[in-house]
Amino acid sequence: MLLILWGIIVLFPFYWMILTSVKSYGSYNGEYVPKFFTLSPTFENYVTAFTAVPLAKYFFNTFIFTVVTTAIMMVVVVLSAFAFARLDFKGKDILFSLFLSLMMIPNELVIITNFVTITNLNLRNTFLGLILPSVTSVFYIYLLKENFEQIPENLYKAAKVDGTSDFRYLTKVMLPISRPTLITITILKVIECWNSYVWPRLITDDQNYFLVSNGIQEIRENGFGRENVPAMMAAVVVISVPLVVLFLVFRHKIMEGVARGGTKG
């Protein structure tokens, strides 16, 4: 019963968002007492959301940013995790400990440094400036390293005896075995990129490079959001749907990957 009650509390804002998005502008403003249902739903607000502002362009920008950032990060994370899990080099443990210590530093502390660096490189209002600070993650490297270490080391030694290169062993043995964790990292990164707000808001002031998150903020500040709340809620619903669908489709993979990455032995 407590779980049901908590589930209702958590889901109610989503229900209210969807309900508001299908109310007409007149009926919404005419409600002195908010109603928890509507007998005359309309999809006019969704049309307004795409015609009043370049919401489709924001979607395209976010798609490009998400795909490119996730792809580059996966390459960095996989190679880094493999190096820490299987390769032997001097100072590996100390280096990894220092690397993990970066998790203790809040992201807000490095935003200004990143901003100055990107500005000095003249990369403001560019996709490259958006992408570069997000192409690595200490947590994802740690998660994948723990997963790689669960694979018996004897397999690696046997492969080396047979003359298999490290890259071939990584692609043919370790990656297929670690597929659930790789899928989990990919999905979590996609969600992180899609919801990214602070950095895109800081590094871009050109609408041509707005993502859906700061695009919605721009709608609220300068567009129809302050007056036409139903249309604003329609835009938020449209932006939220891809992530909800992604999670519902891959929720079992996410749970499996996190469980595998967080368990040793």
Side-chain angles (χ1 to χ4, degrees):
M1 292 299 298
L2 289 175
L3 288 176
I4 292 174
L5 178 62
W6 184 248
I8 293 174
I9 294 174
V10 171
L11 293 175
F12 179 77
F14 294 95
Y15 169 76
W16 190 256
M17 176 179 67
I18 296 173
L19 176 65
T20 304
S21 71
V22 296
K23 291 181 179 179
S24 65
Y25 178 76
S27 63
Y28 175 81
N29 289 323
E31 294 179 356
Y32 295 100
V33 178
K35 296 181 180 179
F36 294 92
F37 62 92
T38 179
L39 299 177
S40 55
T42 177
F43 292 97
E44 180 182 354
N45 297 316
Y46 290 88
V47 177
T48 303
F50 277 94
T51 56
V53 294
L55 190 59
K57 184 173 182 59
Y58 297 159
F59 259 97
F60 178 75
N61 291 344
T62 307
F63 177 78
I64 296 298
F65 169 72
T66 301
V67 171
V68 176
T69 303
T70 303
I72 297 176
M73 190 214 68
M74 289 304 298
V75 174
V76 174
V77 166
V78 167
L79 295 179
S80 301
F82 176 76
F84 283 121
R86 281 290 175 264
L87 301 184
D88 292 323
F89 53 90
K90 189 175 181 179
K92 181 175 74 170
D93 294 336
I94 297 177
L95 180 60
F96 187 69
S97 298
L98 293 174
F99 198 62
L100 284 181
S101 67
L102 296 176
M103 295 179 65
M104 306 301 170
I105 303 176
N107 291 332
E108 289 76 11
L109 293 181
V110 299
I111 283 182
I112 300 302
T113 304
N114 288 338
F115 176 79
V116 173
T117 302
I118 294 299
T119 302
N120 290 338
L121 294 174
N122 294 321
L123 294 178
R124 289 197 64 198
N125 291 316
T126 65
F127 281 112
L128 189 58
L130 282 169
I131 292 169
L132 281 181
S134 305
V135 295
T136 188
S137 169
V138 177
F139 172 71
Y140 293 146
I141 292 174
Y142 170 75
L143 183 67
L144 190 58
K145 172 186 174 292
E146 292 296 305
N147 192 250
F148 281 169
E149 288 183 340
Q150 295 179 34
I151 302 173
E153 190 174 1
N154 292 334
L155 286 176
Y156 179 66
K157 294 180 178 179
K160 297 302 291 183
V161 169
D162 290 339
T164 303
S165 65
D166 289 334
F167 183 76
R168 183 175 176 81
Y169 175 76
L170 172 64
T171 56
K172 298 298 183 181
V173 178
M174 301 190 78
L175 293 186
I177 294 176
S178 305
R179 184 174 300 171
T181 303
L182 293 172
I183 293 175
T184 299
I185 293 175
T186 301
I187 295 173
L188 293 178
K189 186 62 179 180
V190 167
I191 294 174
E192 176 187 326
C193 291
W194 196 269
N195 291 330
S196 182
Y197 174 77
V198 176
W199 177 249
R201 184 73 174 172
L202 183 65
I203 206 67
T204 60
D205 51 24
D206 184 349
Q207 278 193 346
N208 292 322
Y209 297 96
F210 277 179
L211 306 185
V212 289
S213 54
N214 51 6
I216 284 297
Q217 181 66 16
E218 188 70 14
I219 293 172
R220 191 189 71 82
E221 293 178 352
N222 303 323
F224 56 76
R226 291 186 176 184
E227 297 180 358
N228 195 341
V229 176
M232 180 69 178
M233 290 298 102
V236 175
V237 170
V238 171
I239 291 173
S240 303
V241 165
L243 293 185
V244 173
V245 173
L246 184 69
F247 179 79
L248 291 178
V249 172
F250 293 101
R251 64 187 185 279
H252 296 300
K253 292 291 184 181
I254 294 177
M255 303 305 175
E256 182 183 355
V258 172
R260 285 172 58 89
T263 305
K264 293 194 67 175

